[in-house]
């Protein structure tokens, strides 16, 4: 990796850039990198999107952290994703954008982020929505805008404030490749502050650990089992096929699908070839291999 990795950092504030550069070059053995890290201090905007749109990039992971929303646009993300193997993670300041959608002074920035037609429709929707509904509507429209411009796989991770009552921000991952989506979901699952029946919440809430009993009242794994029986009725697929066909847009990870299918087999609701439940246990666990074939009865 030290012979291939290229790192480029940027902050519009020159003092921040200098401080960052000093911190990077203080890392032990940083000189072993074939390509020394580069640190710039220019403002990200349409010029950068145009530049990225003209060059051919090696596989790159972009992390975009705008100051609120300035510089973050669909065009910028599109210019990143157009190259093979390129993915993007960006900081989505929900509170600033929620206020910005109704602020005529930043209308241009909001249109750049959602697209003008979608932003206008969203503004009209938000006028009659309760505060509790606004966040879901805004994040959903953002995801749809990203998909429309080619980012087929969108995965938001939510952060909650120290009181556990309001959203602080989201980190949004965008990719054109399902493998990148799958890997990032596993990473986000590991960082989630809570799970429900082993299903990750895909959020970090600092107060979750204080009230673990509340989350056991929700049974998402049982719901997944019922969904799969209905979704794939009358079909025979491998476990891997079930996972790949269903996981996009869901917070379930691969282990959740194996657990749900194992439960369905134990209940006699599906047929498994070869049977999994009859196999010897490994470390007190029954393994459900990706190549195992599953037959769902017709409804």
């Amino acid at each position: 990796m030290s012979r291939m990795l290229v790192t480029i950092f940027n902050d519009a504030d020159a003092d921040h850039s200098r401080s960052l550069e000093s911190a990077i070059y203080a890392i032990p053995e940083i000189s072993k990198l074939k390509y020394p890290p580069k640190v710039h201090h220019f403002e990200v905007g349409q010029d950068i999107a145009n530049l990225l749109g003209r060059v051919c990039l090696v596989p790159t992971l972009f992390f975009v952290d705008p100051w609120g929303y300035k510089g973050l646009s669909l065009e910028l993300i599109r210019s990143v994703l157009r190259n093979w193997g390129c993915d993007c993670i960006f900081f989505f300041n929900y509170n600033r954008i929620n206020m910005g959608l109704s602020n005529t002074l930043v209308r241009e920035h909001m249109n750049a982020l959602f697209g003008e037609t979608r932003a206008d429709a969203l503004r009209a929707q938000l006028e009659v929505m309760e505060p509790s509904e606004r966040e879901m509507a805004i994040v959903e429209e953002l995801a749809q805008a990203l998909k429309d411009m080619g980012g087929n796989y969108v995965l938001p991770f939510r952060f909650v404030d120290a009181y556990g009552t309001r959203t602080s921000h989201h980190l949004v991952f965008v990719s054109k490749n399902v493998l990148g989506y799958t890997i990032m979901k596993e990473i986000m699952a590991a960082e989630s502050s809570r799970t429900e029946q082993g299903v990750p919440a895909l959020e970090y809430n600092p107060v979750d650990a204080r009230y673990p009993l509340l989350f056991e009242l929700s049974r998402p794994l049982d719901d997944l089992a019922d969904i799969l029986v209905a979704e794939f009725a009358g079909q025979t697929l491998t476990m891997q096929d079930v996972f790949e066909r269903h996981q996009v847009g869901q917070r379930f990870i691969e282990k959740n699908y194996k657990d749900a299918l194992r439960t369905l087999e134990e209940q006699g609701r599906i047929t498994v070839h070869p049977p999994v439940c009859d196999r010897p246990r490994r470390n007190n666990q029954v393994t459900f291999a990706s190549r195992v074939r599953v037959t769902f009865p017709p409804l």
Side-chain angles (χ1 to χ4, degrees), residues 159-233:
F159 289 80
V160 181
D161 66 16
Y163 301 100
T165 55
R166 296 184 62 190
T167 294
S168 167
H169 61 279
H170 295 79
L171 287 182
V172 182
F173 173 78
V174 194
S175 178
K176 294 188 299 183
N177 190 292
V178 71
L179 178 58
Y181 175 89
T182 303
I183 292 171
M184 184 55 67
K185 189 190 288 187
E186 292 284 350
I187 293 170
M188 290 181 172
E191 298 301 326
S192 294
S193 59
R194 64 181 170 93
T195 61
E196 304 155 10
Q197 282 193 297
V199 180
L202 298 185
E203 71 172 35
Y204 179 78
N205 185 332
V207 304
D208 284 345
R210 301 181 208 167
Y211 309 108
L213 180 62
L214 294 178
F215 306 115
E216 287 305 311
L217 300 178
S218 177
R219 310 288 291 177
L221 206 58
D222 296 342
D223 294 341
L224 175 60
D226 293 337
I227 290 168
L228 295 179
V229 169
E231 181 90 9
F232 299 110

Side-chain angles (χ1 to χ4, degrees), residues 144 252 278:
Q144 292 301 323
F252 302 108
D278 296 340

Side-chain angles (χ1 to χ4, degrees), residues 228-237 264 268-272 294-299:
L228 295 179
V229 169
E231 181 90 9
F232 299 110
Q235 300 182 50
T236 297
L237 309 97
L264 288 171
R269 298 173 66 189
I270 59 173
T271 304
V272 176
V294 181
T295 298
F296 296 87
L299 293 178

Side-chain angles (χ1 to χ4, degrees), residues 68-110:
Y69 39 72
K70 188 176 181 180
L72 182 62
S73 67
L74 291 176
E75 186 60 33
L76 176 64
I77 298 170
R78 181 190 291 112
S79 70
V80 168
L81 292 184
R82 71 181 186 84
N83 294 280
W84 180 85
C86 290
D87 302 318
C88 182
I89 304 171
F90 63 89
F91 185 101
F92 184 72
N93 190 326
Y94 165 71
N95 293 316
R96 294 284 302 277
I97 290 168
N98 180 34
M99 293 186 292
L101 280 163
S102 58
N103 185 347
T104 57
L105 297 177
V106 295
R107 185 181 185 87
E108 183 180 345
H109 292 301
M110 295 298 101

Side-chain angles (χ1 to χ4, degrees), residues 10 22 30 47 55 71 114 142 160 184 199 218 237 258 283:
N10 179 71
S22 297
I30 191 71
D47 290 344
V55 298
F114 291 92
L142 174 69
V160 181
M184 184 55 67
V199 180
S218 177
L237 309 97
K258 291 184 176 185
N283 297 327

